[in-house]
């Protein structure tokens, strides 16, 4: 039976009670305890900085050449916090409720409430670090709206919030490196977990510049390695993002939670051809001021400027009047797909919809004209003044779109279409963020815990920093307090020797195949299977077909993949091969999980389970649980269920109308 270790008592007092009663490690003992952190994005960097500050001996690993290159840097639109700066009715409870509802009632209440509680502290922490959040004229921090909410609670730094937050966490991390509390290992990839007497006691890492395998001991191991969206090949993730750390943990006994819960982001630049290796996200914050529409006439080939207002279908505003363009991501994505599938798509591919700023540019222009005392401004003046406001709020996003598409989004509407973005699934963790392997923790996107079946926009940065700055410093002490008598285990221990041997054997096996097809060949084929049969819509037949196709593809991979170069050198193709091998196993489990979950919820849309209006139809009686899968061997998994109990947020059919 899975024990989530949720504290007793009232929901709004669980975290305070936990902090008041958890075990502590005194400062002298912290100096003799070693912690390994894998990944240095927002979750990893903040955890390493916090634990180093507390006095633990920390080793942090990243496969990039600098912790600043973690994929967290790509986040654009903002970070949520329940500070109610706008005085518009926000509160800790409302952020908690929006998150549970947005996740379609498939998240654990206690974890989500804790996240909402600590959210305000994150903003204060980051401001103190010098993060340049946008500010109002009077100096107060500025907020904007994101999908799934009716308040403005998203703090932002233009369209580069992730970058600024990561630089804040990175500076805190580098301070600890300089003080000697953190040792940073760049260009290192974790290849396996080392378990001794059932506990996580270290990792095997590969120095990516030399190919040398290394053994590293830790009293505890924290996986902060991000999500697995690249299983689809084309996604908004950085090309290096992968599931290897989490998957190796799964094969060592850590259960994998809700693997089928992947998020499709509605605001991405459409695919332009087979040459692409990744997709580009346009921040959800653009939905604040951009109106989404398609022509009312099917297969309309006119320029958007030639289509009059009464021949445009603002379909989100039509279908969801209460939330309009700010419905949650899963709802907006399915609505765009429905319009395109029905023949109303735009652009050469007809797989796109318009995101149009003209109306709000005019509105901003009139406001600015009023501020400046221009009583009879010309249309050109209004447009120019409005453009200046949009440049200030979203300028770098507009520049990025123009560079990629060659179109000026100030003059013509952007074209957008949904794409794979975030993964709500991940390693199953309890309230303390510990996996089913004692001493092994998962933070940020690497765990399953806070977003249910659909993450609300601007909540990824919130969760990563909450886990690293404000949760793990308390919860890890509850475990390490009992480990103060455990001396550092020498890395010539048989468990380290065996783990390194297995990692080397996998590398040797890959290098000895000497097949005829590239790693990307297999990755693209896997991605096509996943997108078509386990993507925006899934059905029983397609998922069963996908499982068999992935098995066949995996067998072909291990017979015919070609990896040039040598193992004992810088070899990016070998790195990719190991990651794709893990994706080929994870993809099968994702389809198995999607097949087992015979309901629609959030980003998991089973065609057999929908309302008359085409919305997701949950089955709370049979599927109100976390699916935690235990690895039992090739293509063999045992399902464990953690029942979800809702005391404050009673599940209802989601409505944004």
């Amino acid at each position: 039976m899975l024990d989530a270790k949720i504290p007793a008592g009232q929901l709004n007092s669980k975290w305070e009670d936990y902090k008041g009663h958890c075990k502590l490690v005194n400062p002298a003992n912290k100096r003799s305890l070693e912690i390994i952190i894998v990944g240095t994005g927002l979750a990893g960097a903040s955890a390493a900085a916090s634990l180093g500050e507390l006095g633990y001996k920390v080793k942090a690993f990243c496969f990039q050449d600098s912790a600043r290159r973690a994929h967290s840097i790509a986040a654009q639109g903002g970070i949520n916090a329940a500070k109610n700066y706008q005085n518009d009715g926000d509160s800790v409870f409302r952020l908690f409720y929006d998150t549970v509802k947005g996740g379609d009632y498939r998240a654990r209440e206690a974890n989500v409430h804790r996240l909402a509680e600590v959210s305000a502290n994150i903003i204060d922490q980051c401001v103190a670090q010098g993060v340049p959040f946008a500010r109002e004229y009077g100096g107060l921090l500025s907020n904007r709206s994101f999908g799934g909410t009716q308040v403005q609670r998203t703090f932002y730094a233009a369209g580069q919030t992730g970058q600024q937050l990561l630089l804040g966490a990175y500076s805190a991390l580098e301070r600890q490196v300089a003080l000697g509390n953190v040792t940073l290992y760049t260009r290192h990839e974790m290849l396996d977990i080392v378990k001794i007497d059932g506990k996580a006691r270290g990792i095997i890492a590969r120095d990516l510049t030399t190919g040398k395998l290394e053994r590293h001991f830790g009293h505890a191991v924290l996986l902060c390695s991000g999500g697995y969206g690249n299983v689809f090949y084309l996604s908004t993730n950085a090309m290096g993002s992968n599931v290897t750390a989490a998957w190796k943990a799964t094969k060592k006994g850590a259960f994998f939670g809700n693997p089928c819960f992947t998020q499709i982001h509605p605001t991405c630049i459409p695919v332009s051809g087979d040459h692409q290796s990744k997709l580009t996200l346009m921040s959800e914050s653009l939905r604040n001021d951009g109106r989404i529409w398609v022509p009312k006439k099917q297969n309309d080939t006119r320029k958007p400027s030639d289509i009059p207002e009464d021949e445009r279908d603002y379909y989100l505003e039509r279908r969801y009047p209460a939330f309009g363009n700010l419905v949650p991501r899963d709802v907006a994505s399915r609505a765009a797909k429905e319009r395109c599938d029905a023949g109303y798509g735009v652009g050469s591919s007809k797989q796109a919809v318009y995101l149009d700023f003209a109306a709000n540019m005019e509105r901003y222009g009139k406001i600015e004209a009023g501020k400046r005392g221009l009583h009879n401004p010309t249309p050109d003046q209004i447009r120019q003044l409005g453009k200046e406001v949009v440049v200030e709020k979203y300028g770098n996003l507009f520049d990025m779109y123009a560079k990629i598409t060659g179109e000026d989004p100030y003059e013509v509407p952007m074209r957008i279409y949904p794409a794979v973005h975030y993964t709500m699934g991940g390693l199953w963790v309890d309230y303390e963020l510990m996996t089913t392997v004692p001493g092994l923790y998962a933070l940020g996107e690497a765990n399953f815990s806070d977003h249910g079946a659909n993450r609300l926009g601007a909540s990824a940065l919130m969760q990563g920093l909450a886990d690293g700055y404000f949760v793990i410093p308390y919860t890890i002490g509850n475990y390490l307090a009992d480990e103060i008598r455990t001396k550092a285990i020498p890395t010539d221990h048989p468990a380290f020797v065996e783990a390194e041997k297995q990692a080397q054997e996998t590398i040797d096996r890959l290098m000895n195949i000497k097949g005829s097809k590239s790693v990307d060949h297999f990755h693209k084929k896997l991605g096509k299977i996943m997108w078509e049969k386990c993507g925006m819509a899934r059905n029983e037949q397609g998922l069963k077909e996908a499982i068999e196709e992935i098995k066949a593809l995996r067998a072909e991979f291990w017979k015919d993949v070609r990896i040039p170069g040598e193992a004992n050198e810088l070899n990016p193709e070998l790195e990719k091969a190991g990651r794709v091998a893990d994706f080929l196993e994870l993809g099968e489990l994702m389809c198995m999980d999607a097949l087992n979950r015979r309901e629609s919820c959030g980003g998991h849309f089973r065609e057999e389970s929908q309302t008359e209006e085409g919305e997701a139809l949950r089955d709370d009686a049979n599927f109100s649980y976390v699916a935690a899968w235990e690895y039992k061997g090739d293509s063999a998994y045992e399902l464990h269920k953690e029942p979800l109990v809702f005391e404050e947020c009673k599940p209802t059919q989601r409505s944004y109308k």
Side-chain angles (χ1 to χ4, degrees):
M1 183 69 179
L2 289 169
D3 180 9
K5 298 182 188 170
I6 298 171
Q10 293 294 315
L11 187 65
N12 60 4
S13 62
K14 288 181 189 290
W15 180 231
E16 282 302 314
D17 288 348
Y18 176 91
K19 290 191 292 183
H21 296 89
C22 63
K23 297 173 185 175
L24 300 176
V25 181
N26 82 47
N29 286 333
K30 284 173 183 165
R31 291 192 289 272
S32 64
L33 290 169
E34 300 181 42
I35 299 173
I36 287 174
I37 296 177
V38 179
T40 56
L42 286 180
S46 60
S50 301
L51 297 174
E53 185 84 40
L54 288 172
Y56 292 106
K57 293 166 65 177
V58 178
K59 294 180 183 177
F61 295 79
C62 67
F63 62 68
Q64 299 93 346
D65 58 356
S66 166
R68 289 173 300 170
R69 295 189 187 276
H71 186 55
S72 301
I73 206 167
Q76 297 168 347
I79 176 171
N80 289 331
K83 291 180 81 72
N84 195 28
Y85 267 25
Q86 303 292 329
N87 200 27
D88 58 359
D90 200 12
S91 64
V92 166
F93 182 86
R94 200 172 289 277
L95 173 53
F96 155 73
Y97 178 81
D98 285 347
T99 304
V100 173
K101 177 185 175 184
D104 220 351
Y105 304 95
R106 290 295 174 261
R108 189 190 288 154
E109 275 194 341
N111 285 64
V112 178
H113 198 278
R114 175 176 66 188
L115 177 65
E117 286 178 63
V118 305
S119 64
N121 298 343
I122 298 170
I123 305 303
D124 297 338
Q125 170 93 0
C126 294
V127 169
Q129 289 173 339
V131 173
F133 286 121
R135 292 180 181 268
E136 302 287 4
Y137 179 77
L140 288 176
L141 297 181
S142 181
N143 290 125
R144 56 190 178 199
S145 297
F146 259 64
T149 71
Q150 291 178 304
V151 298
Q152 290 180 270
R153 66 161 67 102
T154 303
F155 296 77
Y156 64 97
Q160 48 186 246
T161 314
Q163 180 184 37
Q164 299 304 328
L165 291 172
L166 185 62
L167 290 174
Y170 174 75
S171 63
L173 168 62
E174 284 298 317
R175 177 173 178 270
Q176 296 305 316
V177 171
L179 292 171
N181 298 327
V182 176
T183 304
L184 186 59
Y185 293 84
T186 58
R187 301 298 290 152
H188 279 68
E189 182 166 30
M190 189 205 97
L191 295 185
D192 209 353
I193 296 286
V194 178
K195 281 172 61 176
I196 298 175
D197 298 327
K199 297 180 178 180
R201 292 300 192 195
I203 65 169
I204 303 299
R206 180 172 181 264
D207 182 333
L208 298 180
T209 57
T210 66
K212 183 177 181 293
L213 296 183
E214 300 175 3
R215 309 169 190 172
H216 294 274
F217 164 78
H219 288 88
V221 176
L222 278 56
L223 300 184
C224 310
S225 50
Y228 51 88
N230 276 353
V231 69
F232 290 88
Y233 186 70
L234 284 179
S235 81
T236 65
N237 290 195
M239 290 182 65
S241 298
N242 63 84
V243 76
T244 290
W247 194 248
K248 299 304 185 191
T250 300
K251 297 181 91 167
K252 283 293 176 74
F255 295 179
F256 207 103
N258 294 337
C260 78
F261 285 171
T262 55
Q263 180 167 82
I264 313 296
H265 196 294
T267 320
C268 299
I269 297 178
V271 177
S272 60
D274 292 338
H275 62 283
Q276 278 183 271
S277 54
K278 77 177 299 295
L279 297 173
T280 303
L281 172 71
M282 299 307 296
S283 169
E284 181 175 312
S285 62
L286 296 173
R287 289 201 275 148
N288 266 287
D289 292 317
R291 299 179 71 194
I292 295 171
W293 64 276
V294 293
K296 287 183 177 178
K297 190 171 75 174
Q298 288 180 322
N299 302 310
D300 196 328
T301 58
R302 289 177 291 175
K303 293 178 182 178
S305 57
D306 294 337
I307 301 176
E309 194 70 18
D310 61 355
E311 294 182 35
R312 300 180 179 189
D313 178 13
Y314 294 93
Y315 58 88
L316 290 178
E317 298 170 33
R318 169 174 57 81
R319 290 178 60 176
Y320 309 103
F323 282 72
N325 294 296
L326 289 173
V327 292
R329 290 175 175 176
D330 60 318
V331 177
S333 293
R334 280 196 297 276
K337 181 178 187 294
E338 185 275 329
R339 288 289 82 191
C340 291
D341 289 350
Y344 297 95
V346 301
S348 57
S349 68
K350 299 300 180 186
Q351 292 294 301
V353 299
Y354 288 129
L355 178 62
D356 194 339
F357 283 78
N360 277 303
M361 239 186 281
E362 182 178 345
R363 179 172 66 88
Y364 283 132
K366 290 178 178 177
I367 293 170
E368 286 298 304
K371 286 181 186 177
R372 302 182 190 192
L374 299 174
H375 298 299
N376 292 297
T378 66
D380 286 345
Q381 284 179 309
I382 290 173
R383 181 165 184 77
Q384 182 57 36
L385 291 170
K387 180 178 178 180
E388 289 172 10
V389 175
V390 172
V391 167
E392 184 178 349
K393 294 179 76 171
Y394 309 111
N396 65 308
L397 298 173
F398 276 59
D399 292 344
M400 185 169 68
Y401 182 89
K403 286 180 181 178
I404 291 172
T405 65
E407 298 174 359
D408 182 356
Y410 295 106
E411 300 298 328
V412 297
M414 291 182 180
R415 286 175 292 107
I416 57 169
Y417 193 72
V420 173
H421 179 52
Y422 187 89
T423 50
M424 285 75 65
L427 293 175
W428 183 91
V429 293
D430 59 23
Y431 189 74
E432 298 183 334
L433 305 184
M434 190 189 291
T435 68
T436 47
V437 175
L440 180 64
Y441 295 78
L443 283 65
E445 193 178 357
N447 73 33
F448 87 97
S449 67
D450 293 2
H451 307 297
N454 172 61
R455 177 176 67 77
L456 291 183
S459 288
L461 307 185
M462 176 174 62
Q463 187 210 346
L465 292 179
D467 287 355
Y469 283 139
F470 298 111
V471 177
I472 200 66
Y474 289 95
T475 63
I476 200 169
N478 213 34
Y479 173 77
L480 291 177
D482 297 328
E483 297 294 323
I484 57 176
R485 294 175 184 81
T486 302
K487 303 297 181 188
I489 299 171
T491 55
D492 59 1
H493 186 283
F496 278 94
V497 175
E498 178 60 26
E500 182 183 329
K501 177 170 169 283
Q502 289 180 3
Q504 187 63 55
E505 286 175 353
T506 300
I507 290 171
D508 293 342
R509 184 182 172 197
L510 284 167
M511 294 302 300
N512 289 332
I513 295 170
K514 301 186 187 307
S516 63
K517 297 186 178 70
S518 70
V519 176
D520 281 345
H521 166 84
F522 292 98
H523 197 177
K524 285 180 179 179
K525 290 187 79 169
L526 172 64
K528 194 167 188 295
I529 295 169
M530 295 299 297
W531 177 248
E532 290 181 352
K533 297 182 177 176
C534 194
M536 289 185 70
R538 299 109 188 250
N539 59 59
E540 182 173 354
Q541 180 183 345
L543 289 166
K544 287 179 176 177
E545 290 172 355
I547 290 169
E548 296 307 314
E549 289 171 17
I550 293 170
K551 285 180 182 177
L553 185 64
R554 187 164 68 240
E556 184 187 354
F557 172 88
W558 284 104
K559 287 178 185 173
D560 200 26
V561 72
R562 171 175 49 81
I563 303 170
E566 302 295 330
N568 297 321
E569 63 179 7
L570 177 65
N571 191 337
E573 286 300 302
L574 177 58
E575 296 170 37
K576 280 199 295 186
R579 296 166 189 170
V580 172
D582 294 329
F583 279 141
L584 284 163
E585 296 184 10
L586 170 69
E588 181 184 356
L589 178 60
M590 289 171 67
C591 293
M592 291 171 64
D593 187 40
L595 182 62
N596 178 76
R597 190 171 284 276
R598 296 182 305 279
E599 65 163 352
S600 292
C601 56
H604 167 66
F605 190 74
R606 282 289 295 267
E607 292 174 350
E608 303 93 335
S609 184
Q610 55 184 300
T611 67
E612 291 181 2
E613 297 172 321
E615 306 291 350
L617 182 63
R618 293 193 323 273
D619 180 354
D620 293 327
N622 294 302
F623 294 99
S624 190
Y625 60 76
V626 179
W629 295 87
E630 180 182 6
Y631 178 79
K632 290 289 192 179
D634 289 348
S635 298
Y637 303 89
E638 181 180 345
L639 174 61
H640 302 264
K641 299 177 181 179
E642 178 201 339
L644 291 170
V645 179
F646 296 95
E647 297 175 347
E648 298 291 337
C649 298
K650 299 299 182 186
T652 58
Q653 175 66 31
R654 274 196 309 167
S655 174
Y656 294 95
K657 297 183 176 183

